[in-house]
Every structure is written in C-alpha cells, then in structure tokens.
Amino acid sequence: MRARILLALFPLFALLAVAACGKKKPPETPEPAIAEVAVDAGPPVEDAAPPPKSLFDRLGGNDGIKAVIDKFVENVQQDPAVNKSFKNTKGPKLDAFKKNLADQMCEVTGGPCKYAGKDMKSAHKGMKISDAQFDALVMDLKLAMGEAKVGDAEQTEVVEKLAPLREDIVESKKKK
Ligand code: HEM
C-alpha cells in the first residue's frame, strides 16, 4: 500500500526536484566601473584661461622699456620744444636720468622695479614747464614707442598712466 502511494507521488517529487534545480541565482549587481566612481574634479587645468599679461610684460619687460627710453631721450634731445631744459643732462647725469625713467616706467606698468628718484613735483620744481612742453614730451615718448614697435593699445595705456603726473610737473600756464 505504502509503496503504491510512493509510486503515485513520484511524478510530483520529480517535478519539484526539476523546478528547484532550474531556479536561477539572482543576478549580482555589477561593480561600478572606475570611470563612474571618479570624483568630479572640475574642468581640466589646460582649459583654464591664462592670467592676463601685465603692461610691463606686453612692453617686452626691462629690455623693451630700455629700447623705448633710449629712443625717447634721442627724440627729446632733438625736439626744440623741450631740448633746452636738458642741455646739462649729459654723461653720468644722462645715465642716471635714463635709469630713473626706465625704473619709473617699469613700476607704473606693473613691473618688478622700484623707482628711487625724486617725486615729480620736486624733480621739476622751478623749471616753469608749460602744458605745451608736457604735450611735446609725451609726443616724443609716443614716437619712441612707435619706433620700438610697441602696439597702439600699449602706447595708449602708457600715456594714460603718465597723464596724472601733469599736475605735479606743469607750473607755467604760459603756452611756449
Ligand atoms: C610725463 C612727463 C614726464 C615724466 C614722466 C618725467 C620724468 C622725470 C624723471 C623720472 C626725472 C628724474 C628725477 C630724478 O632725477 O630724481 C625727471 C627729471 C627731469 N625732467 Fe622730467 N618728466 C616729465 C616731463 C618733463 C618735461 C615736460 C620737462 C621739460 C620740458 C622735463 C624736464 C626734466 C629735467 C630737466 C629733468 C632733470 C634731468 C637731469 O637730471 O639732468 N620733464 N623727469
């Protein structure tokens, strides 16, 4: 009797066994790829805009400024509007004057130099310099910058830096 029952239930056991074996393992969550877990560090460094160049650098640094000052002094010596004021500026005095001019231009354009000369009021005291002479000297400087191949934008920036010195340098309102 028991054997008959077992025989009758055999197909059911067989069915359960097949079902248990065929049951699939749940799929494992895949490991995230390294690229997906990398921390976002912002844009790559090469995408960052370079810092703007100082006016000093755009003038060609100390070498560029020296070239401008050499030409400027030549122009001043040939300019009848201003050259009488410089008749005694020769030899070591001329060298010191050029160094002071170069240091001043380096400093006002953002360079590493320190101007160690007199302040503009004391340096020009008693010279009775007129607006016309100031303008003539600025033209001599512009001419020198053009000769030294300084760009138009840089020439304008240099002149703008020196323009405020007019009120300390000009004493005479007389047009010469
Ligand atoms: C933007 C205008 C100017 C600038 C930036 C300038 C700058 C200077 C500097 C840095 C010095 C040297 C100061 C020192 O020795 O400690 C100087 C001296 C002098 N400047 Fe000017 N200057 C200007 C305009 C003028 C003008 C318009 C004149 C005359 C027409 C003039 C005549 C002189 C003279 C005669 C000296 C003395 C030179 C020497 O040592 O023999 N400057 N100036």
Side-chain angles (χ1 to χ4, degrees):
M1 173 68 184
R2 193 190 264 175
R4 226 191 268 168
I5 290 171
L6 280 174
L7 257 170
L9 288 176
F10 179 76
L12 185 65
F13 289 147
L15 217 91
L16 285 173
V18 168
C21 287
K23 203 173 172 188
K24 281 193 189 141
K25 260 174 101 187
E28 283 175 14
T29 322
E31 284 283 322
I34 289 179
E36 289 168 350
V37 294
V39 177
D40 182 7
V45 176
E46 60 267 24
D47 284 0
K53 273 188 160 187
S54 69
L55 179 53
F56 171 77
D57 286 335
R58 285 180 283 132
L59 290 174
N62 282 320
D63 289 348
I65 288 177
K66 189 185 175 304
V68 168
I69 297 301
D70 285 346
K71 290 179 193 298
F72 169 59
V73 169
E74 273 175 39
N75 295 343
V76 165
Q77 285 167 336
Q78 287 163 22
D79 182 352
V82 291
N83 61 7
K84 283 183 201 70
S85 303
F86 296 93
K87 62 181 188 302
N88 297 322
T89 310
K90 294 177 185 143
K93 224 175 165 192
L94 180 61
D95 295 341
F97 177 55
K98 282 184 172 182
K99 169 145 181 34
N100 274 329
L101 288 173
D103 284 349
Q104 186 186 42
M105 189 175 279
C106 167
E107 188 176 321
V108 300
T109 57
C113 323
K114 198 88 199 108
Y115 170 65
K118 295 177 187 161
D119 66 86
M120 290 297 94
K121 211 170 185 119
S122 322
H124 301 92
K125 198 171 168 56
M127 291 186 194
K128 298 207 166 22
I129 294 170
S130 67
D131 276 309
Q133 286 179 308
F134 186 93
D135 293 340
L137 193 122
V138 170
M139 282 312 294
D140 294 337
L141 177 60
K142 278 205 83 173
L143 191 65
M145 290 192 284
E147 288 165 346
K149 306 275 183 285
V150 171
D152 288 350
E154 284 74 21
Q155 288 188 29
T156 304
E157 283 180 58
V158 168
V159 171
E160 280 171 2
K161 298 262 181 216
L162 299 178
L165 302 179
R166 180 189 293 268
E167 63 179 87
D168 285 340
I169 292 172
V170 171
E171 285 179 326
S172 161
K173 291 290 143 197
K174 194 176 92 189
K175 300 272 176 228
K176 277 191 187 166

